[in-house]
Amino acid sequence: MKGFARREFQLVLMRRMADYQPGLVEDAMRSLGASRTEMREVNARWQRILRSRTFPRGRRRFETVLGPPAGAGEHQIGDVACEVAWWPPFPLWPGLRFEIMMGPDGTVMQEWLVRDDGVPVPPLETVDDLVPWTCVVGDMDARFGAVAHQDGEVPSRWHATLASPDGTALVAHFVWGLLQTVESV
């Protein structure tokens, strides 16, 4: 799609991340040669795309922007077989790929950053290891076991409640699947 590709899609993802990590977003924008104004304009364009009746839906929407997926497969959730498609890691988040999960009718049910195959989960032994932008939702399950997941206030947000090794109850806040903040509750 003319003027909207992987670089711009990263700006869209960062728009919501700026609510939690404005400093990291500012540094990332600079590395992409982008400004706040461009990020807002790109996000506004993406919102128009999402609301358009003529723009493709489901997987085709992402293929139009990101190109063909690097891979696809099936993920079983109970009795429901969902299709999963993913794209190669973005320069801003090496080791993480963007993934969508679609229901049987092709509707996108989940879209987020996940750890790419073969990329090790960072050591997450203490609360201090939960550094913004270093882990994804799946890493919490891999390292902390019993994690209670909750949808966020908007589709791009996700929360996970877990217990630290010393028993402290924590809530980790994610945007597009990427850790933003952790707070004790």
Side-chain angles (χ1 to χ4, degrees):
M1 184 168 75
K2 186 173 175 134
F4 204 110
R6 291 173 59 84
R7 177 183 174 275
E8 290 75 19
F9 193 73
Q10 289 175 94
L11 292 173
V12 168
L13 297 181
M14 285 193 301
R15 175 65 186 92
R16 285 280 182 202
M17 292 179 193
D19 296 340
Y20 288 100
Q21 293 295 333
L24 289 175
V25 167
E26 192 71 35
D27 292 344
M29 280 190 315
R30 241 188 324 276
S31 75
L32 292 175
S35 66
R36 285 182 181 271
T37 301
E38 182 185 6
M39 184 170 72
R40 280 192 301 273
E41 290 170 353
V42 166
N43 190 64
R45 185 174 179 199
W46 181 250
Q47 294 306 314
R48 286 190 302 274
I49 288 169
L50 292 177
R51 288 162 181 72
S52 170
R53 287 182 295 201
T54 59
F55 202 81
R57 300 257 180 250
R59 179 173 163 171
R60 284 195 53 232
R61 171 177 291 156
F62 295 95
E63 290 174 336
T64 302
V65 173
L66 300 173
E74 191 175 284
H75 182 78
Q76 197 73 25
I77 300 178
D79 293 339
V80 179
C82 298
E83 183 186 357
V84 178
W86 59 88
W87 286 263
F90 294 114
L92 289 179
W93 303 291
L96 304 180
R97 65 185 189 208
F98 186 74
E99 178 181 276
I100 62 171
M101 182 184 303
M102 296 151 289
D105 66 352
T107 301
V108 175
M109 299 168 27
Q110 184 64 272
E111 49 190 295
W112 56 2
L113 294 164
V114 299
R115 190 149 311 281
D116 202 9
D117 292 336
V119 176
V121 175
L124 302 174
E125 306 303 327
T126 69
V127 176
D128 294 335
D129 294 331
L130 298 172
V131 177
W133 289 26
T134 62
C135 61
V136 294
V137 172
D139 297 343
M140 293 300 201
D141 291 329
R143 293 291 191 224
F144 289 98
V147 176
H149 298 281
Q150 303 93 33
D151 290 337
E153 317 69 60
V154 294
S156 61
R157 294 191 182 172
W158 189 270
H159 308 295
T161 304
L162 59 135
S164 70
D166 69 4
T168 305
L170 305 169
V171 175
H173 301 277
F174 297 85
V175 174
W176 299 115
L178 188 61
L179 179 66
Q180 303 296 311
T181 63
V182 179
E183 53 192 36
S184 60
V185 291

